[in-house]
Amino acid sequence: MNTKNVYADNNATTMVAPEVKETMEPFFTNLYGNPSSMHVFGGQVKKFVDRAREQIAALIHADPAEIVFTSCGTESDNAAIRGILAAHPEKKHIITSRVEHPAVKNVFQFLEKNGYRLTELSVDRLGRIDLDELREKLDNDTALVSIMWANNETGVVFPMQEIAELVKSKGAVFHTDAVQAAGKVSIDMNTTPVDLLSLSGHKLHAPKGIGILYIRKGTHFVPFIMGGHQEGGRRAGTENVPYIVGLGKACELALDHLEENKSHIKVLRDKLEKELLQKAVDASVNGDPENRLPNTTNISFKYIEGESILMLLSEAGIAASSGSACTSGSLEPSHVLRAMGVPFTRVHGSVRFSLSRYNTDEEVSYIIENMLAIEKTLREISPFGRDELHAEQ
Amino acid sequence: MWDYSKKVKDHFLHPRNAGQIENPDAVGEAGSLACGDQMKLMLKIDENEVITDAKFQTFGCGSAVASASALTEMIMGKKLDEAAHITNKDIVDYLGGLPVEKMHCSVMGHEALESALHNFRGTSPEPAEEAKKHIVCECFGVTDDEILRIVQENSLTTIEDVTHYTKAGGGCMSCHDKIKGLIEQVVGEEKAQQPPRPAGAKLTNIQKMKLIEETFEKEIRPMLKADGGDIELIDIDGNKVIVSLRGMCSSCTSSTFTLKKYIEPKLKEFVSEDLFIEEVKP
C-alpha cells in the first residue's frame, strides 16, 4: 500500500471533524445523564441538547422547536413520509422524482404496492426536473410531494423555492431530503416553504448514527417511532446525547464554513473537473453545470468501466464512487444516470468525486495525475479502442 | 468494496496476456456493452491444434479482467480439445473463488473461449444448435441452453444464483418464471438419473424422525409462521405423526384442512408415502 491517502468520497460519508469529536467526549464519561431525568445528572445534560438544537436550527434558519432528532437520514425520510400520510389518510396520491435516494424511492415504491397512486417525475439530460410536469401532476388527492434538495450522485441542486411554493399552492405537504445539501449550500426555512426536511450528521463531519427531521410548526404529523414523550412526542426514544451534541457542533462549523464552499471547495472541484475534461481521451460531466453542489463532480469515461477505475484509484490511495452496475451489488447501473438518459457506454464508466473542506490543491493534482494514468491503462486493455471512439463522434 | 481473493486482485492489477495478436487464428467475443462488460479473446493455434499464444481485451470490472487474464493462462499450451473442456467453474477455482455476484465474469470468459473455438473451426455456431436456443432473459440476452448448462455445471438451485452467474433475471425480472422452470428441468433430470428411493424403503426410526423434523423446519413451519401460527411435533408412532397446532393455527377453523391438505402431503413428499397425521389438542 502507498502512503498517500486522498479521500474524495464525501457524498458517501465524511471525516468526523476533530472539534466535533472533542465536543462529544465528555458525554461518554461524566455527562451521562438522561436529559428527561428530574435530577442534576439529567438537567446538566439537557442544556447541551437544547444548545445543539439551536445550533442545528441556525444552519437552516429554523426554530429550535422544529428540530426532531433521529438516528439517520433514512429514518428522517421514513418518518416524514409515513408521518404525513398517516396524518392525511384520505389522500392517496404521492409524488417524487426518479432520481431520489433509496431512502425515499423505496418507501414510495412500497407505498405504491400498498394502495397509493405514485407519480415519479422524470428528469432531463442534465438531471433537472420539469416544474410544468409537477404542476400538471399535483391534484386534490395529492397528500405528499418529496423531492431531494440536491442529488447525491450528480450534485444537481433542484429549484427548491419554486418547487416548495408550487406544492404549497396546491395544498399538498412538501418534504425534501436535504442530506446532501446541508452544509454545502445555504438553506433558509424562513424563506423557503418546505414543510419537512431531512438532514444527516455523517455527511457534514458529524458521526454516523444521528440525523434530524425538521417539521414546520403547524404540520400535522403522526410519529413514526412511538413510545416516550421525547422530542415533543414526535420521536420517542432516549436522546442519543453524545451524537446530538456532536451534530450541533458540526452544524455550527458548517455554518461558519459555508462561504468556504465557494472560495475553496468549488475552486478545487472546478480545477479537478476542468483538467480531467481537457486531458482525458473521452470524458464528460453528468449533471446540470449551472445548478450543482460546489463539491461534486460526476464524470463519465466512455468505454472504460467504473469498478476497475475505483480499484486502481484505491491502489493509489484515492477514494471515490461509481455508478457502474458492477459496484452496486445488483446488476443495475445508477438509476440516476439512467433516468437522465446517459448512455450505458458512459454510465458504466462514471466516477463521482466529492470533496470537502479538508481536501487540498495538492490532493486534487494527485487525483488528476492518477486518474489520467488509469484511463490510459484501462483503455489499453479495453476492446473498444480509439476506432470506436472516433466512429461515434 | 468487493472481497476479492489475492489472486483476483493480482490478475486485475497485473493482467497476464492483455493486448492483441496480429493475424490471430481465432477470435472470440462475449458480453455486451449495455451489460457493462465485454471481452475479446485472440488465439494463435499451431498445426497440431495447440494454443501457442492467447491475448485478451476486456471492458469490465476487476473480476472480469481477472477472469480473462486467468483464462489465457489456463489455455496457453493446451490442445484445443483440452481447452474446450474448461468451464467457468475451472476459471473460478483458478482464481481462488469469486464473489457470488461476480460469477457471470467467469461465465463470460468461458463464452469467449467457446466463441473463439467456433471461430477457428469455422463451424460457428452451428445453425441447428442456434435454432434450438431461445432467449429467456431479454434484458441481458441470455438463452435457455446457456442457463441450463450453467445450472447443471454449478448445481444452482435458485433464480438468484442464476442471476449471479449469468445475469439472466437481473433486469426487469419478467423471466423469473421461465428461469424457475429451467432449474426444475435440470433438477428433474438429475433426480431421474439417481436411483429412485425404492418404494416403501425401510427408513430406520431415527432416519425417519430426522427427516420428519427436517421437513417440519424447512417446509412446514415457515409457511405457518407467516400466518402467525406454529406446529409442534409431539410423537411418532409407526407411521402416525402426532402433532399439535400452536398460535393462530390452534384456533383456526381451517386447521384440519391445513393438516390434511398441506402438512400431510409435505411429509409424504419428503419422508414417506405411508405417513399420516393426527392432531392432539394442546
Side-chain angles (χ1 to χ4, degrees):
Chain A
M1 224 26 208
N2 58 83
T3 49
K4 196 106 181 161
N5 255 323
V6 177
Y7 189 76
D9 200 12
N10 288 278
N11 287 10
T13 195
T14 59
M15 172 183 117
V16 175
E19 302 93 320
V20 169
K21 177 170 174 277
E22 199 185 319
T23 311
M24 291 170 68
E25 269 161 5
F27 298 89
F28 290 109
T29 52
N30 299 335
L31 296 170
Y32 57 80
N34 184 332
S36 300
S37 301
M38 287 297 138
H39 46 59
V40 68
F41 285 88
Q44 65 186 10
V45 164
K46 187 170 183 305
K47 299 195 299 232
F48 290 100
V49 172
D50 292 343
R51 170 89 189 104
R53 212 183 290 280
E54 286 165 15
Q55 288 166 317
I56 295 158
L59 178 65
I60 60 170
H61 301 277
D63 187 297
E66 295 172 320
I67 306 297
V68 173
F69 292 111
T70 65
S71 66
C72 60
T74 296
E75 187 197 320
S76 298
D77 288 338
N78 272 269
I81 297 165
R82 287 156 176 274
I84 291 303
L85 296 181
H88 300 274
E90 71 289 356
K91 293 187 173 182
K92 291 289 177 202
H93 179 221
I94 49 181
I95 300 179
T96 188
S97 80
R98 279 189 202 283
V99 296
E100 294 299 312
H101 187 274
V104 168
K105 188 183 175 60
N106 290 346
V107 180
F108 272 61
Q109 288 179 351
F110 172 82
L111 290 166
E112 187 186 25
K113 287 196 191 110
N114 287 274
Y116 281 87
R117 192 157 53 85
L118 172 63
T119 300
E120 285 186 300
L121 302 174
S122 54
V123 294
D124 67 8
R125 291 204 157 267
L126 294 179
R128 299 175 301 193
I129 69 159
D130 178 358
L131 287 171
D132 290 332
E133 190 190 357
L134 173 59
R135 189 176 294 115
E136 236 168 70
K137 296 288 159 66
L138 280 161
D139 60 35
N140 294 334
D141 192 35
T142 309
L144 175 71
V145 178
S146 180
I147 295 172
M148 62 200 337
W149 197 299
N151 184 268
N152 47 314
E153 292 189 26
T154 58
V156 170
V157 176
F158 292 108
M160 267 308 115
Q161 194 68 29
E162 288 87 338
I163 294 173
E165 282 172 7
L166 184 55
V167 174
K168 294 317 293 169
S169 75
K170 301 276 182 157
V173 178
F174 182 57
H175 165 254
T176 183
D177 178 337
V179 162
Q180 291 297 341
K184 293 174 191 153
V185 292
S186 56
I187 292 179
D188 190 341
M189 289 297 101
N190 280 328
T191 53
T192 311
V194 165
D195 295 308
L196 302 102
L197 175 146
S198 304
L199 182 157
S200 169
H202 75 104
K203 310 284 192 193
L204 40 72
H205 305 291
K208 293 150 195 72
I210 184 75
I212 67 118
L213 177 61
Y214 159 90
I215 307 175
R216 186 178 290 278
K217 273 183 191 159
T219 305
H220 295 290
F221 177 80
V222 176
F224 179 52
I225 293 185
M226 300 190 190
H229 54 30
Q230 293 89 353
E231 300 301 299
R234 293 165 299 181
R235 201 277 193 180
T238 299
E239 296 85 343
N240 184 2
V241 177
Y243 286 69
I244 287 172
V245 174
L247 178 57
K249 184 68 187 175
C251 286
E252 183 190 282
L253 292 170
L255 188 58
D256 290 347
H257 288 278
L258 204 53
E259 279 307 303
E260 225 178 280
N261 280 301
K262 286 176 212 151
S263 63
H264 174 69
I265 301 175
K266 185 172 182 297
V267 173
L268 294 184
R269 193 275 312 269
D270 289 347
K271 168 177 162 168
L272 175 63
E273 188 170 284
K274 209 173 124 201
E275 290 203 24
L276 285 179
L277 289 187
Q278 272 173 5
K279 295 179 185 168
V281 176
D282 186 313
S284 54
V285 171
N286 299 311
D288 182 4
E290 299 298 318
N291 299 295
R292 205 153 44 121
L293 292 176
N295 78 318
T296 310
T297 180
N298 188 312
I299 302 182
S300 280
F301 297 89
K302 198 176 184 185
Y303 290 138
I304 59 175
E305 198 278 328
E307 186 200 296
S308 289
I309 298 174
L310 293 192
M311 283 177 75
L312 291 175
L313 281 171
S314 178
E315 280 298 304
I318 300 167
S321 296
S322 169
S324 152
C326 291
T327 58
S328 66
S330 71
L331 294 169
E332 290 297 307
S334 156
H335 71 282
V336 175
L337 300 185
R338 289 300 299 144
M340 289 161 63
V342 177
F344 279 114
T345 49
R346 290 191 187 277
V347 173
H348 290 298
S350 69
V351 182
R352 177 190 71 185
F353 296 101
S354 47
L355 307 177
S356 80
R357 61 177 181 264
Y358 295 103
N359 287 114
T360 63
D361 185 66
E362 190 207 343
E363 287 180 338
V364 165
S365 300
Y366 182 76
I367 298 175
I368 295 166
E369 181 195 325
N370 277 280
M371 186 59 235
L372 292 171
I374 289 166
E375 188 201 14
K376 191 161 169 282
T377 306
L378 290 177
R379 287 206 190 286
E380 272 165 15
I381 64 166
S382 172
F384 303 98
R386 281 160 190 267
D387 296 348
E388 281 85 359
L389 277 176
H390 291 306
E392 289 194 16
Q393 271 160 9
Chain B
M1 182 72 68
W2 298 106
D3 188 15
Y4 284 135
S5 72
K6 270 192 185 151
K7 207 149 179 197
V8 173
K9 275 190 202 152
D10 180 44
H11 273 267
F12 169 67
L13 293 173
H14 312 286
R16 326 296 199 259
N17 314 308
Q20 303 199 61
I21 295 177
E22 272 189 42
N23 306 318
D25 297 311
V27 178
E29 286 190 14
S32 96
L33 208 47
C35 309
D37 46 29
Q38 172 85 30
M39 175 181 171
K40 190 171 175 184
L41 178 69
M42 285 148 278
L43 303 177
K44 267 282 179 210
I45 299 166
D46 72 9
E47 65 282 3
N48 299 319
E49 296 212 330
V50 172
I51 298 171
T52 55
D53 196 7
K55 287 217 185 302
F56 77 92
Q57 290 181 309
T58 291
F59 162 87
C61 58
S63 52
V65 173
S67 295
S69 167
L71 174 71
T72 56
E73 289 283 278
M74 291 166 75
I75 59 176
M76 198 88 81
K78 280 212 166 66
K79 288 202 74 163
L80 287 187
D81 288 345
E82 285 174 90
H85 284 107
I86 292 172
T87 66
N88 77 292
K89 208 164 166 292
D90 297 329
I91 298 175
V92 174
D93 291 344
Y94 183 91
L95 286 170
L98 278 178
V100 64
E101 295 87 346
K102 295 289 188 180
M103 287 299 181
H104 59 260
C105 295
S106 65
V107 174
M108 181 169 72
H110 174 261
E111 285 171 358
L113 174 62
E114 233 178 14
S115 151
L117 296 182
H118 274 307
N119 172 252
F120 179 72
R121 306 228 190 264
T123 55
S124 64
E126 285 172 34
E129 210 173 286
E130 197 69 353
K132 276 187 280 173
K133 292 181 187 173
H134 296 100
I135 297 267
V136 173
C137 170
E138 301 276 351
C139 299
F140 294 106
V142 189
T143 59
D144 50 0
D145 70 324
E146 198 180 335
I147 295 172
L148 285 171
R149 181 172 56 76
I150 296 295
V151 168
Q152 226 152 25
E153 284 177 4
N154 298 279
S155 312
L156 306 185
T157 55
T158 66
I159 296 169
E160 204 183 351
D161 284 342
V162 171
T163 306
H164 288 326
Y165 277 72
T166 65
K167 292 193 175 186
C172 70
M173 300 188 226
S174 65
C175 61
H176 278 193
D177 281 346
K178 284 188 200 160
I179 295 176
K180 199 169 158 222
L182 291 170
I183 295 172
E184 279 163 5
Q185 188 181 327
V186 173
V187 172
E189 280 167 12
E190 277 170 6
K191 264 201 184 151
Q193 281 166 15
Q194 284 170 0
R197 199 187 290 151
K202 281 285 167 226
L203 291 164
T204 68
N205 271 339
I206 293 179
Q207 282 173 333
K208 198 195 288 176
M209 271 171 71
K210 263 191 158 168
L211 265 177
I212 291 172
E213 282 182 337
E214 217 180 274
T215 308
F216 268 73
E217 279 314 312
K218 285 193 186 149
E219 303 292 330
I220 298 170
R221 280 227 171 81
M223 192 275 293
L224 296 179
K225 281 191 171 161
D227 288 333
D230 202 356
I231 191 164
E232 192 182 351
L233 178 61
I234 305 285
D235 202 1
I236 300 163
D237 178 11
N239 285 324
K240 181 161 70 176
V241 181
I242 305 165
V243 299
S244 177
L245 290 166
R246 298 270 183 259
M248 300 290 279
C249 293
S250 58
S251 56
C252 174
T253 49
S254 62
S255 64
T256 314
F257 179 80
T258 306
L259 281 177
K260 286 290 164 197
K261 288 288 174 193
Y262 186 78
I263 299 175
E264 197 171 277
K266 284 277 176 204
L267 290 174
K268 286 183 191 291
E269 180 185 351
F270 289 97
V271 187
S272 155
E273 265 300 326
D274 305 328
L275 294 181
F276 61 97
I277 210 157
E278 202 175 283
E279 188 194 1
V280 292
K281 291 287 172 192

